[in-house]
Amino acid sequence: CNISLPVVSEPAMQAFEHQKEAIETLFIMHSASQAENAQQIQAAVSEEQSTFDLALYWVAIVNLIGIAFMFLLRLWQFINMERLIRCGAIWKDKEDGGITIYCHADNVKPCSWMHSIVISEQDYANHRHEILLHEKGHILHHHSLDILLLTFVQLTQWWNPFIYMLSTSLRDVHEYEADNYVLRQGVSLHEYQSLLLKTAVGSSSYAFANSFNHSLTKKRITMMKEQK
């Protein structure tokens, strides 16, 4: 089988070679441009990553400073509370259930922590039954453990405003439960509410302790009238 091939002239071959060289040149230029663009993109990504790492570093530093400050604040409050309980007591008495009563001559606000109750000599002489029942209600409901857990959460979430709202709400619930315990022991509702009004002179300055007049008196009196 004889096949006749077309004869390619010399000018056509030269034109093909020129086109081939032009294509190769364009490919090399395009590859170089792509490499340069990749380097620019990589540099931009590296710079952005560096900025993000720096911002994350400072956020971590600020968070650690906040945790340290909150820890020192709570430690100072805890030391003050322990000093209030044990220092200055004119006598102490241990009752059933491992509860220890510390009576102070100073006009301290009634409060409780773990299995300890602080009460002034004046309150002990005039209203010891109702006040001690209230503080026993805090102890029996393990409110100190709630406060310890809340304190741990505050250390890690000190920047979260909802934590402080939760703290206020939890303290109110503690007072409602302690008030309900007092009323279930047979104390007159009218007499107990009158006592709350008499002692509504502020709240305890000790963040850990459960205080007899910690929450707003109006809210506590209103809650006593609510149907459970």
Side-chain angles (χ1 to χ4, degrees):
C1 180
N2 296 323
I3 300 175
S4 300
L5 297 177
V7 178
V8 182
S9 62
E10 186 68 22
M13 288 296 296
Q14 292 178 354
F16 174 75
E17 290 295 334
H18 287 310
Q19 290 179 355
K20 180 181 177 183
E21 292 177 358
I23 291 173
E24 290 177 349
T25 302
L26 289 175
F27 178 76
I28 293 172
M29 292 176 62
H30 179 68
S31 299
S33 177
Q34 280 188 329
E36 183 178 358
N37 290 338
Q39 291 178 353
Q40 292 177 352
I41 292 174
Q42 184 65 31
V45 171
S46 300
E47 182 178 359
E48 184 177 353
Q49 183 67 31
S50 177
T51 302
F52 176 77
D53 291 342
L54 182 61
L56 189 61
Y57 170 79
W58 283 110
V59 167
I61 291 296
V62 171
N63 187 47
L64 290 176
I65 292 175
I67 292 176
F69 174 79
M70 185 64 67
F71 174 78
L72 293 176
L73 177 63
R74 294 307 185 207
L75 180 62
W76 177 76
Q77 292 173 338
F78 179 79
I79 293 174
N80 280 347
M81 181 195 62
E82 287 292 329
R83 186 180 306 163
L84 166 74
I85 293 175
R86 306 190 183 280
C87 298
I90 56 178
W91 58 263
K92 68 177 183 179
D93 182 28
K94 197 160 188 176
E95 297 192 345
D96 295 337
I99 299 175
T100 304
I101 301 174
Y102 293 86
C103 185
H104 289 246
D106 297 333
N107 188 24
V108 297
K109 302 295 188 300
C111 60
S112 61
W113 172 251
M114 292 298 183
H115 287 79
S116 300
I117 297 177
V118 175
I119 189 172
S120 68
E121 190 176 23
Q122 180 180 358
D123 286 334
Y124 187 84
N126 298 326
H127 310 289
R128 64 176 175 270
H129 180 63
E130 295 85 353
I131 292 177
L132 292 180
L133 280 178
H134 179 91
E135 300 306 333
K136 286 180 182 178
H138 285 301
I139 294 174
L140 294 177
H141 285 88
H142 308 290
H143 290 163
S144 297
L145 299 181
D146 287 350
I147 295 175
L148 283 179
L149 177 60
L150 180 64
T151 300
F152 174 76
V153 175
Q154 286 177 338
L155 290 179
T156 57
Q157 297 273 319
W158 59 268
W159 44 267
N160 191 345
F162 291 103
I163 292 300
Y164 302 97
M165 296 171 61
L166 173 63
S167 175
T168 302
S169 179
L170 181 62
R171 291 303 189 105
D172 290 343
V173 171
H174 284 176
E175 297 305 319
Y176 299 154
E177 290 182 339
D179 291 337
N180 186 52
Y181 175 80
V182 174
L183 298 178
R184 285 192 288 109
Q185 302 307 308
V187 176
S188 169
L189 175 62
H190 177 72
E191 291 180 0
Y192 187 63
Q193 290 176 343
S194 299
L195 176 61
L196 288 181
L197 293 175
K198 291 178 183 179
T199 58
V201 290
S203 61
S204 173
S205 59
Y206 299 93
F208 284 90
N210 297 290
S211 175
F212 179 72
N213 52 0
H214 189 285
S215 298
L216 293 178
T217 303
K218 180 180 178 182
K219 293 171 63 177
R220 292 171 62 181
I221 291 177
T222 302
M223 184 59 65
M224 292 179 200
K225 299 179 180 179
E226 293 292 333
Q227 183 177 359
K228 303 300 184 292

